[in-house]
Amino acid sequence: MFESIDIMKTLDSIRANHKIKIQDLVQGIMSRKTYTRLLNDEASISFYDLNKLLEKLSIPFLEFSLYVVNSIEGQFPMESSFFLTILRENYQKAYDEFYPGVMGKELKTIFGAKSVPATIELMLYKLNKQSKEVSLSNLHQKFDLKSILESRIIDDGISGILYSFVYLVGDSERRQIGNFIYKVIFDPSFRHYYSYTEISKTIIHVTGILSFTLLDSLDDEELNRLEKIVIETLDYQTKFRATVFDHKIFRILYQFQKEKNLENDFIIFSYISSYLSVFEKGAIPHKLDVTKEDMIIFKNYLKEGLYQQNTMYEGMLKHGKIW
């Protein structure tokens, strides 16, 4: 994760861009020698001194934090690329192209700190390079699931960790994760601290959906919670449209309703149309798997313009319910 030297390099870059002399910046705060020691990673900067230096530069702390995040992301692009490729379920591409860049390395970025180590275990299981039991054991060694489920603070890393756990645990822990995420979404006492709000909130939503759809069986209350999470997810997606995540959501819902003999034609339509909307080559590793009957539904909706008569996702909801 970020260290004092990362902060100092970013700070000094801003100072240089503003054409401010070191002596002028540090006056009344610290000596030039101390500043140089900080810049050479011979000491760590305190929060108090950092705030004083930012005041001299007229930069709010939050703005500076985002600047540091972007600066680090730019230096270590492999970490985010690996994580986002895992989310697209393109495990082989993640392993071949990005895993060598993160394996055994000191991870520095927001996603690198927690999400990458967690999804490495998921990837190795999905590629049959280690058993589910080994991946789950390794994941438990890296992260304490019990502590996470007792936390009231949610950040970018938590979303990636829970996303990995939900695929690897059994139904008992999966239910715990689902009920926890339900509270994360709807209980205002939880505090959310994201650097990548849209991506991390979407991962939370997707994990919540998976935690119920992956169960062997659901009772009425669990189905009700699933529907509420789906509705909240779709509402959020009207604001944040990422076609790959859009397709992932509808693929999960499509497979779930097929397995459970549920029916919502708009899910079928959205699943197919979301697949066709992803233009990036290789972004979706799997082929579209639908029945002839599904394609007839899709074509009829296109022909009759039924989908266009509704605002986004409106037709999918049935009086506040999905099924």
Side-chain angles (χ1 to χ4, degrees):
M1 198 49 190
F2 304 151
E3 298 175 356
S4 175
I5 185 61
D6 302 312
I7 293 171
M8 286 304 303
K9 284 181 177 179
T10 304
L11 184 73
D12 198 60
S13 174
I14 295 173
R15 175 200 65 77
N17 288 336
H18 283 65
K19 296 181 170 55
I20 298 175
K21 295 179 180 179
I22 293 178
Q23 191 58 48
D24 293 336
L25 176 63
V26 302
Q27 188 174 10
I29 302 173
M30 64 180 66
S31 67
R32 179 177 179 134
K33 182 179 179 180
T34 297
Y35 184 88
T36 302
R37 290 184 66 238
L38 291 170
L39 201 54
N40 290 335
D41 200 23
E42 296 172 2
S44 298
I45 189 168
S46 69
F47 183 75
Y48 175 83
D49 287 342
L50 175 60
N51 270 311
K52 287 296 182 182
L53 292 172
L54 291 176
E55 285 178 11
K56 281 281 192 78
L57 293 168
S58 300
I59 298 177
F61 180 78
L62 179 58
E63 181 181 330
F64 176 74
S65 299
L66 293 175
Y67 194 97
V68 174
V69 167
N70 291 331
S71 175
I72 299 298
E73 291 288 346
Q75 296 176 53
F76 303 95
M78 282 282 185
E79 297 177 22
S80 293
S81 295
F82 174 85
F83 180 53
L84 295 175
T85 304
I86 292 293
L87 294 178
R88 294 171 173 178
E89 300 180 65
N90 201 334
Y91 303 107
Q92 193 62 55
K93 180 177 180 180
Y95 184 82
D96 293 337
E97 296 186 18
F98 306 119
Y99 185 48
V102 299
M103 180 179 57
K105 304 289 178 63
E106 180 184 0
L107 303 174
K108 306 280 286 186
T109 65
I110 291 293
F111 290 134
K114 299 175 183 177
S115 296
V116 169
T119 50
I120 283 174
E121 300 304 329
L122 175 61
M123 174 197 69
L124 293 176
Y125 159 64
K126 288 289 187 178
L127 293 177
N128 295 314
K129 294 185 179 298
Q130 63 188 27
S131 68
K132 178 185 282 191
E133 291 74 21
V134 169
S135 284
L136 180 57
S137 175
N138 291 344
L139 193 55
H140 275 300
Q141 289 178 30
K142 291 178 179 180
F143 304 104
D144 185 350
L145 180 59
K146 184 175 183 292
S147 296
I148 291 172
L149 298 182
E150 292 173 350
S151 176
R152 277 290 192 273
I153 297 175
I154 311 300
D155 59 24
D156 301 272
I158 295 297
S159 61
I161 294 170
L162 291 179
Y163 177 83
S164 301
F165 265 117
V166 82
Y167 278 107
L168 297 171
V169 296
D171 276 3
S172 176
E173 288 180 306
R174 197 169 279 138
R175 282 188 166 88
Q176 293 177 40
I177 293 172
N179 292 329
F180 174 74
I181 290 181
Y182 182 84
K183 290 187 289 184
V184 166
I185 295 172
F186 297 108
D187 185 342
S189 70
F190 282 82
R191 293 292 175 260
H192 302 257
Y193 299 99
Y194 303 123
S195 294
Y196 296 98
T197 303
E198 293 85 357
I199 294 175
S200 294
K201 284 193 72 171
T202 298
I203 298 168
I204 286 289
H205 290 156
V206 169
T207 304
I209 293 171
L210 284 168
S211 65
F212 290 107
T213 58
L214 290 176
L215 293 173
D216 286 338
S217 62
L218 292 84
D219 60 29
D220 290 342
E221 175 58 28
E222 289 167 339
L223 181 60
N224 180 57
R225 289 195 167 198
L226 169 61
E227 288 186 312
K228 287 183 177 179
I229 292 174
V230 171
I231 291 169
E232 181 68 20
T233 302
L234 297 180
D235 180 66
Y236 189 71
Q237 288 298 305
T238 62
K239 306 175 185 70
F240 170 60
R241 292 302 307 277
T243 52
V244 172
F245 286 120
D246 216 29
H247 176 67
K248 185 178 182 69
I249 292 165
F250 289 119
R251 181 167 179 253
I252 294 168
L253 297 178
Y254 173 82
Q255 292 174 337
F256 173 74
Q257 75 171 16
K258 286 290 184 184
E259 180 184 336
K260 303 299 182 184
N261 293 315
L262 299 169
E263 186 176 331
N264 187 322
D265 288 351
F266 278 97
I267 286 179
I268 295 171
F269 179 90
S270 297
Y271 169 54
I272 297 173
S273 62
S274 65
Y275 180 89
L276 299 176
S277 299
V278 178
F279 296 108
E280 184 183 344
K281 184 179 181 181
I284 298 177
H286 54 265
K287 295 180 179 180
L288 187 66
D289 183 18
V290 294
T291 65
K292 290 181 179 179
E293 291 76 15
D294 293 334
M295 288 306 300
I296 290 172
I297 291 171
F298 175 73
K299 290 176 181 178
N300 284 340
Y301 271 65
L302 285 179
K303 186 189 303 181
E304 299 173 18
L306 294 175
Y307 193 76
Q308 287 77 5
Q309 293 172 20
N310 300 282
T311 57
M312 187 180 298
Y313 305 133
E314 179 186 345
M316 194 172 304
L317 306 178
K318 300 179 178 180
H319 309 292
K321 295 182 70 63
I322 304 296
W323 295 286

